[in-house]
């Protein structure tokens, strides 16, 4: 990485306010300011809470709303969970190293909140749990720590949206997530970032998957952000554990994204897939992906495709690392533009050049593979549509 | 319907069409024969207006409009429709959605159309992703049924297709060309013809397609020029007996 990139990514934490912005609890999400509702909707939040099994909302420096109505799953503010469960010795700071970097350290030293979500053994939660981490005030620095425990043979979908209020300019979000998927558990985790053009985000996530566990990790970032740096690490530690990561990124001018991921295959019969689709319309995207195979038989595939529509930079860094004979790891990376042949094919069907290009781009940013609830898919399609208006 | 006058076309600086003259009337289907590399596909791609095909001289007139330099989508909107030989895969674009786009807002029943070409199971697959030769042909016809062109350009309907598929493709092509319509009490044959005035330009090597459609005229493309105008069946028979070498003589 060049020095210029490094300085772009290095944030001075002291520029932000980490104290004093505790908010009042909101009973009904429909009370939220109309102008903020739209941002929340775009971040995947169902304000009616009809199609959700529970909701967690954190604003600035504290919890604002936390509700579950579904048996088999518990949703708490992390601080309450630490009290209730004796500091969560098996989970709290057990997957993420608090000294990893200064952002992680900052959360270790001062905790504002975050969610704790835990299923019961064998519970199949059919509607998603939704969480939102929201920044409502300019210059706020937000430290959250999330813990997810998917107990044996249980299933859960979490939709976590992050957003800022309409009038927030600069902000810094630091988020630790530790995810534990027990034997035979299945988690679909969909993260939608809908920040603002002056916001910096530094999530730090680690997931540990035990025998036969499944982790589907979706990440969607379509809106401007000053800088985002994510590199979730997923350990497939039990025989037959499977993980797929899908990310869809759009970088408009001014956005700097360093978004990738790493999967470590530590047990036989594990499978890993990292798929990223990136588009720049003028911003910079660095997309590192790393799959490490330490057991056999294992399979891993990395697919990293980028489109530069007009200007901008995409730097794809696919890495494969096998440490024993017999691992099967592969990758496919491509950075380019929309294929002229595809445009002309659609033009021969009567679409003009803009229609053809946006049709191809929409297909490229294929959200269908994420298995999202229909209303969320619709909201995302609409966001892509709106982003598309600025793209071409 | 279509008039081509003294058309010269270059691909990457090399002249491939060297003065083509051709005119196709309303309701007429024209068959193009010719050896590999003679320029048949080039002619179709030039009529559709693709960027690699540079017209250096001559004119293409369609329904009275000079389209020699018109963008591809304008030609499509005027009523030119083409079946591609090797269409590209577009990831994430479902066949169903492309068929809808082809209809440009006209009301169509995608399921019903798909049934006609035995493509129902392909509607939710990405367009052309892993399609076999016959599946590509059927998918192209499905799109054209939604598009309803007035001039149908069809490059080698039989290539990569088994006999069973050939019959299906032949029948659908016939329908697209407005041929074989059944008169009914509400619509006389004359009225049906007026309703559906479609012309065709079809490239074939084997002539199998002639078992399904009525074709009025044919010519041979040879080294970038057209020659040997005759009834398609007669041309076919001649080529089967003598190959293309006689065509050289016609050109002299
Ligand atoms: N994309 C291309 N680039 C370079 N040469 C081409 C291209 N397409 C066709 N040609 C050349 O143009 C000539 C005519 O090709 P084509 O129209 O495909 O012939 P046909 O369809 O009659 O077999 C051939 O010599 C071929 O090699
Ligand atoms: Mg050809």
């Amino acid at each position: 990485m060049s020095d210029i990139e490094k300085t772009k990514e290095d944030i001075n934490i002291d520029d932000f306010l980490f104290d004093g912005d505790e908010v009042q609890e909101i009973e009904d999400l429909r009370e939220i300011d109309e102008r903020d509702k739209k941002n929340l909707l775009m971040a995947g939040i169902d304000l009616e809470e009809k199609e959700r099994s529970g909701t967690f909302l954190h604003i600035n420096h504290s919890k604002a709303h936390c509700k579950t109505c579904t048996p088999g799953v518990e949703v708490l503010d992390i601080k309450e969970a630490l009290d209730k469960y004796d500091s969560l010795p098996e989970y709290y700071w057990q997957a993420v190293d608090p000294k990893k970097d200064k952002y992680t350290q900052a959360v270790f030293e001062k905790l504002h909140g975050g969610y704790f979500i835990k299923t019961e053994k064998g519970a199949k939660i059919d509607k998603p749990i939704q969480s939102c981490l929201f920044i409502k005030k300019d210059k706020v620095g937000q430290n959250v720590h999330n813990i997810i425990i998917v107990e044996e043979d249980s299933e859960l979908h979490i939709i976590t949206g992050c957003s800022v209020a309409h009038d927030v300019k600069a902000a810094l979000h630091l988020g630790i997530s530790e995810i534990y998927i027990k034997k035979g558990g299945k988690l679909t985790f969909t993260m939608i970032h809908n920040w603002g053009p002056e916001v910096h985000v530094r999530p730090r996530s680690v997931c540990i998957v035990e025998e036969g566990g499944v982790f589907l990790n979706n990440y969607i970032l379509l809106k401007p952000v000053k800088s985002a740096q994510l590199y979730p690490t997923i350990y497939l530690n039990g025989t037959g554990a499977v993980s797929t990561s899908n990310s869809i990124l759009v970088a408009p001018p001014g956005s700097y994204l360093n978004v990738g991921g790493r999967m470590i295959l530590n047990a036989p019969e594990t499978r890993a897939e990292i798929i990223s689709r990136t588009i720049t319309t003028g911003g910079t995207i660095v997309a590192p992906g790393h799959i490490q195979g330490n057991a056999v038989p294992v399979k891993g595939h990395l697919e990293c495709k980028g489109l530069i529509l007009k200007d901008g930079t995409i730097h794809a860094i696919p890495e494969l690392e096998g440490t024993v004979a017999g691992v099967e790891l592969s990758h496919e990376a491509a950075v380019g533009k929309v294929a002229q042949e595809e445009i002309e094919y659609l033009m021969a069907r009567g679409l003009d050049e803009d229609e053809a290009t946006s049709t191809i781009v929409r297909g490229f940013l294929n959200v269908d593979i994420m298995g999202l609830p229909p209303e969320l898919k619709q909201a995302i399609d609409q966001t892509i549509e709106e982003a598309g208006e600025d793209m071409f | 319907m279509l008039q081509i006058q003294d058309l010269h076309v270059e691909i990457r600086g090399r002249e491939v069409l060297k003065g083509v003259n051709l005119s196709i009337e309303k309701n007429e289907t024209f068959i193009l024969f010719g050896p590999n590399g003679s320029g048949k596909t080039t002619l179709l791609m030039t009529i559709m207006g693709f960027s690699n095909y540079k017209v250096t001289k001559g004119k293409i007139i369609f329904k009275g409009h000079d389209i020699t330099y018109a963008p591809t989508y304008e030609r499509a909107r005027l009523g030119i429709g083409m079946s591609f030989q090797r269409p590209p895969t577009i990831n994430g674009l479902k066949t169903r959605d492309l068929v809808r786009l082809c209809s440009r807002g006209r009301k169509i029943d995608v399921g019903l159309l798909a049934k006609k070409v035995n493509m129902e199971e392909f509607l939710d697959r990405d367009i052309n992703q892993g399609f076999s030769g016959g599946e590509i042909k059927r998918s192209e016809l499905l799109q054209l049924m939604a598009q309803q062109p007035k001039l149908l350009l069809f490059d080698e309907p039989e290539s990569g297709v088994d006999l069973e598929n050939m019959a299906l493709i032949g029948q659908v092509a016939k329908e697209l060309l407005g041929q074989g319509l059944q008169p009914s009490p509400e619509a006389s044959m004359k009225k049906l013809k007026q309703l559906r005035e479609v012309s065709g330009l079809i490239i074939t090597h084997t002539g199998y397609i002639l078992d399904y459609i009525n074709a009025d005229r044919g010519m041979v493309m040879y080294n970038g020029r057209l020659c040997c105008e005759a009834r398609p069946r007669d041309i076919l028979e001649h080529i089967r007996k003598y190959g293309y070498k006689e065509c050289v003589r016609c050109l002299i």
Side-chain angles (χ1 to χ4, degrees), chain B residues 36-37 39-42 85-86 155-156 203 205:
Chain B
N36 285 331
K40 304 181 298 297
T41 298
T42 303
Q85 240 183 326
R86 282 178 216 88
D155 200 344
E156 298 192 28
I203 298 175
H205 278 294

Side-chain angles (χ1 to χ4, degrees), chain B:
Chain B
M1 181 70 80
L2 178 75
Q3 282 92 38
I4 294 175
Q5 297 160 8
D6 192 28
L7 187 69
H8 291 249
V9 174
E10 277 181 8
I11 304 175
R12 295 192 187 125
R14 204 183 111 223
E15 182 161 76
V16 175
L17 298 186
K18 302 165 182 172
V20 168
N21 290 288
L22 173 66
S23 141
I24 300 177
E25 301 306 316
K26 262 184 204 164
N27 280 321
E28 185 180 51
T29 296
F30 189 92
I31 307 290
L32 197 54
F33 297 93
N36 285 331
S38 58
K40 304 181 298 297
T41 298
T42 303
L43 178 61
L44 257 56
M45 301 298 252
T46 308
I47 295 171
M48 205 67 245
F50 292 123
S51 56
N52 275 335
Y53 302 82
K54 198 173 154 221
V55 176
T56 52
K57 199 178 161 196
K59 260 189 200 169
I60 307 171
I61 315 280
F62 179 67
K63 290 206 288 193
H65 304 269
D66 184 339
I67 57 160
T68 317
Y69 301 101
T72 298
Y73 65 88
E74 269 180 35
R75 303 175 197 223
R77 289 177 191 180
L78 278 172
I80 303 181
M82 174 164 164
S83 167
F84 283 63
Q85 240 183 326
R86 282 178 216 88
T89 297
I90 302 180
N91 287 312
L93 176 58
K94 302 259 171 291
T95 303
R96 177 192 305 283
D97 296 331
L98 179 52
V99 173
R100 280 237 175 74
L101 288 170
C102 289
S103 74
R104 295 207 65 75
R106 227 178 312 115
K107 268 219 163 72
I108 55 163
D109 184 336
V110 178
L112 202 73
L113 293 180
K115 209 167 164 189
K116 283 193 181 176
V117 284
N118 210 354
M119 285 296 281
E120 293 123 301
E121 282 156 41
F122 291 78
L123 287 177
D124 290 312
R125 273 174 58 176
D126 289 359
I127 188 72
N128 300 324
Q129 172 89 60
F131 287 15
S132 72
E135 288 157 3
I136 284 179
K137 289 276 163 8
R138 276 146 51 204
S139 138
E140 290 294 299
L141 287 175
L142 174 58
Q143 293 169 52
L144 289 166
M145 283 193 292
Q147 206 181 336
Q148 290 197 7
K150 296 285 176 210
L151 173 66
L152 175 66
L153 307 176
F154 205 159
D155 200 344
E156 298 192 28
E158 69 278 1
S159 72
V161 171
D162 58 29
L163 278 179
E164 196 183 331
N165 270 310
M166 192 60 231
L168 180 63
I169 288 163
Q171 275 148 21
V172 176
K174 180 176 183 166
E175 214 173 290
L176 278 171
L177 288 166
Q179 299 178 357
L181 298 170
Q182 307 284 335
S184 64
E186 300 86 56
S188 68
M189 207 61 220
K190 191 175 165 200
K191 206 167 166 196
L192 282 175
K193 280 256 172 191
Q194 282 167 348
L195 223 64
R196 205 80 190 87
E197 283 174 335
V198 187
S199 309
L201 174 52
I202 300 179
I203 298 175
T204 180
H205 278 294
T206 61
Y208 294 155
I209 189 76
L210 299 175
D211 296 343
Y212 303 94
I213 58 167
N214 301 317
D216 316 275
R217 293 158 56 220
M219 279 180 107
V220 174
M221 176 79 81
Y222 197 90
N223 195 16
R225 290 190 181 89
L226 287 175
C227 62
C228 311
E229 170 150 8
R231 284 173 43 217
R233 289 244 171 239
D234 295 340
I235 298 179
L236 192 63
E237 202 170 307
H238 181 93
I239 298 165
R240 279 193 185 137
K241 267 194 205 146
Y242 306 109
Y244 285 109
K245 56 182 188 294
E246 280 296 307
C247 300
V248 188
R249 292 201 185 164
C250 297
L251 282 169
I252 297 168

Side-chain angles (χ1 to χ4, degrees), chain A residues 38-297:
Chain A
K38 188 157 181 273
N39 286 349
L40 288 170
L41 283 172
M42 294 277 220
I45 304 306
D46 175 4
L47 297 167
E48 302 282 330
E49 300 178 73
K50 279 201 191 109
E51 293 303 318
R52 299 288 185 263
S53 293
T55 299
F56 178 84
L57 174 63
H58 177 106
I59 298 178
N60 296 345
H61 295 152
S62 70
K63 175 186 87 173
H65 182 87
C66 180
K67 198 165 87 184
T68 26
C69 34
T70 311
V73 61
E74 185 176 29
V75 183
L76 292 173
D77 181 84
I78 189 77
K79 288 181 173 170
E80 290 161 31
L82 288 168
D83 281 346
K84 182 172 172 184
Y85 293 109
D86 225 4
S87 302
L88 292 162
E90 289 169 73
Y91 305 110
Y92 191 60
W93 293 111
Q94 295 307 301
V96 173
D97 175 5
K99 292 197 196 66
K100 182 186 155 49
D101 56 29
K102 68 176 179 187
Y103 311 110
T104 311
Q105 185 95 31
V107 181
F108 182 71
E109 281 161 14
K110 184 177 203 86
L111 176 65
H112 291 139
Y115 54 79
F116 170 83
I117 301 175
K118 183 174 177 298
T119 58
E120 284 169 17
K121 269 188 192 174
K124 312 260 194 261
I125 313 301
D126 58 336
K127 289 180 185 172
I129 298 272
Q130 63 181 353
S131 117
C132 180
L133 308 168
F134 196 66
I135 296 178
K136 228 176 137 52
K137 204 178 130 179
D138 208 26
K139 289 264 169 213
V140 157
Q142 182 179 63
N143 295 347
V144 299
H145 192 138
N146 309 308
I147 288 181
I148 302 167
I149 302 161
V150 176
E151 280 293 350
E152 288 184 17
D153 299 315
S154 65
E155 282 181 22
L156 180 65
H157 186 171
I158 297 175
I159 295 169
T160 171
C162 296
S163 195
V164 289
H166 59 279
D167 52 357
V168 168
K169 284 183 213 81
L172 172 63
H173 168 90
L174 306 175
I176 308 299
S177 295
E178 298 184 283
I179 303 174
Y180 302 89
I181 300 175
K182 305 290 183 70
K183 201 171 155 184
K186 179 178 176 187
L187 175 66
T188 303
F189 184 76
T190 300
M191 181 144 83
I192 302 163
H193 275 173
N194 186 18
W195 302 105
E198 295 302 327
V199 179
H200 296 279
V201 278
R202 297 288 179 272
R204 298 289 182 258
S205 308
V206 172
C207 174
I208 295 170
V209 190
E210 293 179 9
E211 189 181 328
V214 177
F215 182 44
L216 304 177
N217 184 30
N218 298 320
Y219 180 63
I220 299 169
L221 171 59
L222 303 169
K223 299 292 231 170
V225 62
K226 186 83 189 174
S227 79
Q229 192 192 70
L230 290 81
Y231 192 67
T233 301
I234 296 158
Y235 293 92
L236 302 180
N237 285 350
T239 304
V242 173
S243 182
T244 297
S245 273
N246 284 306
S247 46
I248 291 176
L249 312 174
V250 175
S255 280
Y256 182 93
L257 316 180
N258 185 339
V259 177
R262 179 162 60 147
M263 295 204 192
I264 312 289
L265 290 73
N266 283 332
E269 312 286 348
T270 52
R271 274 186 293 131
E273 194 173 27
I274 300 179
I275 299 170
S276 88
R277 296 288 171 89
T278 64
I279 290 187
T280 173
T281 60
T284 297
I285 300 174
V286 182
H290 181 196
I291 300 181
Q292 187 186 66
N294 300 324
V296 279

